[in-house]
């Protein structure tokens, strides 16, 4: 059986016309995958060694089949080329900002340390602005040498939390910059950024057209940014089954932190999602599983309630 990832890639014409000439969507996505794969598989575990997988094979490629289950493969394949392209970019890139290597971390922290104590925010980069806001929020301070030891190592909780909280914006910046370097339409680049950011934003922001632009025009083609952001968001949320966290991988990772252990246990208790047609153009997402640990049950019920709430809000926005 061909996975939906391969189907959607094959659906692109070898070249498609835009106002600047021909664009080879397949070649662009192939190059993006080549860049992403090693970063996701090497740099995310460096900062988050006990996280459930956010890598290429266990997470990214699996998302395409989940999207096909949730929204229907025919529906997704019927999207216009630009929307379909942005869907693939969003699923590929939404976690890219979690991958921060040693050199990048050292550069960010060094630039942050070099800033004066009361810098003018407009003079700093977007990354440094985010880090300044986080440091102020969390009370991260300099030591007697003027350094920030709480941010100096990838295993520091403050650094891990900073990367996690801000990964969507970093993902969006990287997706934008990758496409912009190919001289693609600036609106397409901005749409890719918005989709990566949008998968993490509160629904209140996504609902506000002034804070999150729902549509962009790429030449004469309308691209549905909010729609694609919602598809990426809901697809990512429902990658929760045990196939994401196989036992062999768990033995290799060996999570010890109680929070990490609980997350791995939650995945291990659940089957892959099942989407059932219940008639009248309505469907139901079913998640089956087996819980053998009484202490895990409250976490599973919290997850169920959270997913139900997210799905209801997401469907409301999709209807709009």
């Amino acid at each position: 059986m061909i996975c939906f990832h391969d189907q959607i890639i094959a659906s692109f014409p070898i070249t498609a016309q835009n106002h600047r000439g021909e664009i080879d969507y397949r070649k662009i996505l192939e190059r993006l995958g080549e860049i992403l794969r090693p970063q996701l598989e090497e740099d995310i575990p460096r900062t988050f060694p006990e996280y459930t997988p956010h890598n290429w094979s266990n997470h990214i490629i699996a998302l395409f089949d989940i999207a096909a289950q949730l929204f229907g493969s025919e529906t997704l394949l019927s999207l216009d080329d630009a929307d379909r392209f942005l869907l693939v970019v969003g699923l590929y890139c939404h976690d890219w900002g979690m991958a921060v290597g040693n050199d990048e971390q050292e550069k960010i922290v060094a630039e942050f340390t070099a800033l004066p104590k009361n810098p003018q925010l407009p003079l700093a980069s977007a990354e440094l602005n985010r880090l300044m806001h986080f440091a102020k929020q969390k009370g991260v301070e300099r030591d007697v040498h003027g350094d920030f030891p709480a941010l100096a190592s990838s295993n520091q909780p403050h650094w891990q939390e900073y990367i996690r909280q801000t990964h969507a914006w970093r993902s969006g910046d990287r997706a934008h910059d990758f496409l912009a370097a190919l001289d693609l339409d600036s609106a397409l680049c901005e749409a890719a950024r918005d989709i990566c950011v949008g998968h993490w934003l509160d629904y209140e922001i996504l609902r506000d057209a002034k804070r999150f632009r729902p549509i962009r025009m790429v030449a004469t083609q309308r691209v549905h940014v909010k729609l694609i952001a919602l598809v990426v968001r809901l697809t990512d949320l429902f990658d929760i089954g045990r196939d994401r966290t196989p036992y062999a991988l768990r033995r290799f990772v060996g999570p010890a932190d109680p929070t990490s252990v609980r997350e791995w246990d939650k995945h291990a208790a659940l089957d892959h999602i099942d989407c059932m047609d219940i008639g009248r153009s309505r469907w139901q997402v079913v998640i089956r599983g087996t819980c053998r640990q009484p202490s895990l049950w409250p976490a599973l019920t919290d997850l169920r309630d959270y997913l139900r709430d997210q799905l209801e809000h997401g469907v409301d926005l999709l209807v709009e």
Side-chain angles (χ1 to χ4, degrees), residues 44 63 73 85 109 168 179 215 232 241 260 288 317:
I44 293 181
L63 290 177
S73 56
F85 173 72
V109 175
L179 297 177
I215 290 172
V232 172
S260 297
R288 305 178 182 87
L317 273 181

Side-chain angles (χ1 to χ4, degrees), residues 154-170:
S154 62
N155 60 12
Q156 290 287 348
H158 278 309
W159 177 257
Q160 293 172 335
E161 184 62 13
Y162 168 68
I163 295 301
R164 190 189 71 81
Q165 282 190 15
T166 60
H167 82 275
W169 287 267
R170 194 173 303 103

Side-chain angles (χ1 to χ4, degrees), residues 6 11-12 15 57 63 65 115 145 166 194 210 214 261 276 305-306:
D6 294 342
S11 72
F12 291 108
T15 55
S57 56
L63 290 177
D65 287 328
L115 289 173
H145 305 292
T166 60
D194 290 347
K210 293 181 179 179
V261 170
M276 302 174 62
D305 295 343
Y306 174 73

Side-chain angles (χ1 to χ4, degrees), residues 251-266:
R251 289 188 62 188
F252 176 78
V253 173
D257 178 79
T259 300
S260 297
V261 170
R262 186 174 67 249
E263 292 302 309
W264 283 80
D265 286 345
K266 282 160 59 177

Side-chain angles (χ1 to χ4, degrees), residues 39-106:
Q39 293 188 34
L40 297 178
E41 297 188 351
E42 295 170 16
D43 291 334
I44 293 181
R46 188 187 75 86
T47 304
F48 305 100
E50 296 191 358
Y51 264 35
T52 53
H54 287 70
N55 60 14
W56 188 257
S57 56
N58 290 85
H59 181 48
I60 301 300
I61 298 303
L63 290 177
F64 287 83
D65 287 328
I66 294 173
Q69 282 186 283
L70 288 172
F71 302 100
S73 56
E74 292 183 4
T75 300
L76 297 179
L77 289 172
S78 70
L79 295 171
D80 289 340
D81 286 348
D83 280 337
R84 221 160 59 255
F85 173 72
L86 287 169
L87 172 60
V88 178
V89 170
L91 291 175
Y92 275 10
C93 295
H94 70 283
D95 280 338
W96 197 358
M98 298 271 282
V100 178
N102 277 319
D103 292 344
E104 185 177 5
Q105 179 183 359
E106 290 175 4

Side-chain angles (χ1 to χ4, degrees), residues 38-318:
Q39 293 188 34
L40 297 178
E41 297 188 351
E42 295 170 16
D43 291 334
I44 293 181
R46 188 187 75 86
T47 304
F48 305 100
E50 296 191 358
Y51 264 35
T52 53
H54 287 70
N55 60 14
W56 188 257
S57 56
N58 290 85
H59 181 48
I60 301 300
I61 298 303
L63 290 177
F64 287 83
D65 287 328
I66 294 173
Q69 282 186 283
L70 288 172
F71 302 100
S73 56
E74 292 183 4
T75 300
L76 297 179
L77 289 172
S78 70
L79 295 171
D80 289 340
D81 286 348
D83 280 337
R84 221 160 59 255
F85 173 72
L86 287 169
L87 172 60
V88 178
V89 170
L91 291 175
Y92 275 10
C93 295
H94 70 283
D95 280 338
W96 197 358
M98 298 271 282
V100 178
N102 277 319
D103 292 344
E104 185 177 5
Q105 179 183 359
E106 290 175 4
K107 181 176 182 291
I108 292 170
V109 175
E111 291 178 351
F112 183 56
T113 303
L115 289 173
K117 291 186 177 180
N118 296 300
Q120 295 296 317
L121 292 183
L123 299 179
S125 68
E127 184 77 69
L128 295 185
N129 282 342
R130 290 192 290 261
L131 186 50
M132 280 187 278
H133 176 76
F134 175 84
K136 182 177 180 180
Q137 181 187 50
K138 298 294 184 179
V140 177
E141 298 180 349
R142 299 175 189 263
D143 62 13
V144 293
H145 305 292
D147 298 323
F148 290 92
L151 305 172
S153 172
S154 62
N155 60 12
Q156 290 287 348
H158 278 309
W159 177 257
Q160 293 172 335
E161 184 62 13
Y162 168 68
I163 295 301
R164 190 189 71 81
Q165 282 190 15
T166 60
H167 82 275
W169 287 267
R170 194 173 303 103
S171 298
D173 290 344
R174 291 175 177 181
H176 172 280
D177 293 350
F178 169 81
L179 297 177
L182 301 175
D183 196 31
L184 297 182
D185 190 293
S186 61
L188 190 69
C189 303
E190 291 294 338
R193 171 187 276 146
D194 290 347
I195 288 164
C196 289
V197 173
H199 97 279
W200 187 253
L201 294 176
D202 292 338
Y203 278 117
E204 177 186 352
I205 298 175
L206 291 174
R207 185 169 278 110
D208 187 344
K210 293 181 179 179
R211 301 168 73 184
F212 190 87
R213 188 183 301 186
I215 290 172
R216 287 184 182 271
M217 295 301 296
V218 177
T220 59
Q221 186 174 359
R222 182 185 296 118
V223 294
H224 300 84
V225 181
K226 185 187 292 188
L227 170 68
I228 303 303
L230 286 167
V231 172
V232 172
R233 179 195 188 97
L234 292 173
T235 300
D236 185 41
L237 280 171
F238 280 94
D239 186 15
I240 57 173
R242 69 174 61 87
D243 51 343
R244 183 176 177 182
T245 55
Y247 180 67
L249 181 60
R250 178 170 184 158
R251 289 188 62 188
F252 176 78
V253 173
D257 178 79
T259 300
S260 297
V261 170
R262 186 174 67 249
E263 292 302 309
W264 283 80
D265 286 345
K266 282 160 59 177
H267 283 280
L270 301 173
D271 296 344
H272 192 282
I273 68 165
D274 182 15
C275 294
M276 302 174 62
D277 185 348
I278 56 176
R280 298 182 181 179
S281 299
R282 298 173 65 231
W283 45 265
Q284 186 177 44
V285 179
V286 179
I287 304 170
R288 305 178 182 87
T290 303
C291 178
R292 294 185 172 88
Q293 305 173 48
S295 61
L296 184 62
W297 179 246
L300 289 172
T301 58
D302 286 346
L303 176 62
R304 177 197 60 198
D305 295 343
Y306 174 73
L307 290 174
R308 179 182 291 148
D309 178 72
Q310 290 290 305
L311 185 60
E312 287 176 355
H313 280 90
V315 170
D316 286 346
L317 273 181
L318 286 170

